[in-house]
Amino acid sequence: MPRKTLTDLYQMKAKGEKIAWLTSYDFPSAQFCQAAGMDMILVGDSLGMCVYGYNGTVPVTMDQCLVHTEAVRRGAPDVFLVGDMPFLSYQISDAEAVLNAGLFLKKADVDAVKLEGGVRIVDRIKAISDAGIVVIGHIGLTPQSSGQLGGHKAQGRTADAAKLTLEDALAVEKAGARMLLVEAIPPEVTEVIHQRLSIPVLAIGGGLPCDGQLLIISDLIGQFQAFTPKFVKKYANVAQVITSAISEYVAEVKASKFPTQEYTYSMLPGEVEKFHKLVGHKPAPKAADKAPKKSK
Ligand code: KIV
């Protein structure tokens, strides 16, 4: 299958076909995404929490994002891949923003980059777009600035706050973003944004009235343990499956039940006896040989 392009995604919007988007951070899960028919993958800076165990996304570096994005591209060559610009990779200057966005293309072969912020970040969106790179805006709850937002809280819940969120959306589109992600806002706000913008609008925690949905893979499969945002639906509980598999392994190792013969290699015919003779080894009697013989 050829790789999904921005044009394909725009055609899906035009036809009213919803776009499915998921994060992935590694080669195997990227393969699963591609096999499952995922339209888009985001190698989110949420990898800081989901993979590295940080409290938030702020410590995540460009190097970490690039390494994971490269692995995901290897696993999902045909999916529309989005690199996520980590904290301080784009805030400082237009030049640094363009350079770092470009590194995602050069090293990880992404189709787009995503950066957080609305009105306050329009210069960066314009600079990166002007360099020929597809930009996806991200407004509403923006985890890199959760300190300013008073934590990981839903946004746009009052009329005034919702108006500001709409202004952010309009500014992001005007600056040249080709898609928009809204996070943790009420569906009523998503609906107005979706109506007013011509670019595809996708949501994570923004309800149905838009062009598609994003979730974090570690939430979806029930792997992330620290907390569960309201918008997360767990489609599986791999934490339980993995923990139970590991516990069984530990128990079998301790009881000498693993590995059975099925999981071991055999020597070539006649070589065992030769080997024992060669090294002067007397094999321990087998359990059956030790058992007292029954009298007839
Ligand atoms: O890093 C990420 O996964 C994200 C989502 C929370 C939208 O940016």
Side-chain angles (χ1 to χ4, degrees):
M1 211 182 25
R3 185 184 295 180
K4 195 145 275 175
T5 64
L6 188 66
T7 311
D8 296 325
L9 298 171
Y10 272 55
Q11 280 169 358
M12 289 173 76
K13 176 183 169 66
K15 285 190 271 179
E17 190 185 331
K18 296 273 184 170
I19 299 167
W21 192 11
L22 189 64
T23 69
S24 162
Y25 313 110
D26 54 36
F27 177 79
S29 69
Q31 286 185 307
F32 300 147
C33 283
Q34 175 153 322
M38 194 61 60
D39 299 308
M40 295 172 65
I41 292 178
L42 169 69
V43 187
D45 61 354
S46 49
L47 66 86
M49 297 153 95
C50 299
V51 177
Y52 288 94
Y54 303 149
N55 281 333
T57 55
V58 166
V60 175
T61 64
M62 268 302 290
D63 284 345
Q64 285 171 319
C65 284
L66 287 173
V67 165
H68 287 271
T69 311
E70 286 168 35
V72 168
R73 175 49 94 205
R74 287 193 286 273
D78 302 338
V79 181
F80 189 93
L81 183 63
V82 184
D84 202 14
M85 301 200 64
F87 185 58
L88 291 193
S89 70
Y90 60 98
Q91 285 89 346
I92 295 165
S93 68
D94 285 355
E96 277 192 49
V98 173
L99 184 68
N100 285 321
L103 284 177
F104 276 105
L105 270 77
K106 277 183 172 287
K107 296 201 165 185
D109 190 20
V110 301
D111 301 294
V113 296
K114 174 176 85 59
L115 58 157
E116 297 182 8
V119 171
R120 65 184 166 82
I121 214 73
V122 290
D123 288 348
R124 302 295 183 268
I125 294 175
K126 186 173 175 349
I128 299 171
S129 296
D130 286 351
I133 298 168
V134 175
V135 176
I136 301 181
H138 176 174
I139 62 163
L141 170 55
T142 44
Q144 289 172 16
S145 45
S146 60
Q148 278 186 346
L149 302 175
H152 287 82
K153 289 183 176 165
Q155 302 295 304
R157 298 184 74 191
T158 64
D160 286 344
K163 184 167 173 277
L164 288 177
T165 308
L166 174 63
E167 282 164 15
D168 275 338
L170 293 166
V172 164
E173 180 177 63
K174 193 166 170 229
R178 307 299 296 274
M179 298 179 93
L180 176 68
L181 173 69
V182 297
E183 176 168 357
I185 62 171
E188 293 81 359
V189 187
T190 306
E191 186 178 10
V192 176
I193 291 173
H194 182 237
Q195 271 176 12
R196 301 278 173 95
L197 265 54
S198 56
I199 57 175
V201 176
L202 289 99
I204 177 165
L208 272 177
C210 59
D211 301 303
Q213 298 294 324
L214 170 66
L215 271 184
I216 292 192
I217 190 165
S218 319
D219 291 331
L220 179 152
I221 64 173
Q223 185 180 45
F224 185 68
Q225 304 285 290
F227 61 89
T228 307
K230 180 174 166 57
F231 55 75
V232 166
K233 177 169 175 186
K234 291 191 180 185
Y235 287 82
N237 190 343
V238 300
Q240 207 173 57
V241 173
I242 294 173
T243 310
S244 134
I246 295 172
S247 307
E248 206 178 322
Y249 165 70
V250 170
E252 288 201 354
V253 167
K254 292 194 182 291
S256 294
K257 283 188 176 167
F258 176 85
T260 52
Q261 206 177 359
E262 188 187 349
Y263 301 101
T264 58
Y265 301 96
S266 58
M267 286 186 80
L268 298 179
E271 293 301 311
V272 175
E273 296 73 18
K274 264 201 243 166
F275 171 57
H276 286 168
K277 211 169 154 195
L278 201 62
V279 298
H281 175 72
K282 279 204 174 136
K286 289 189 183 136
D289 299 339
K290 278 197 281 181
K293 291 211 169 87
K294 280 189 193 161
S295 54
K296 288 185 183 166

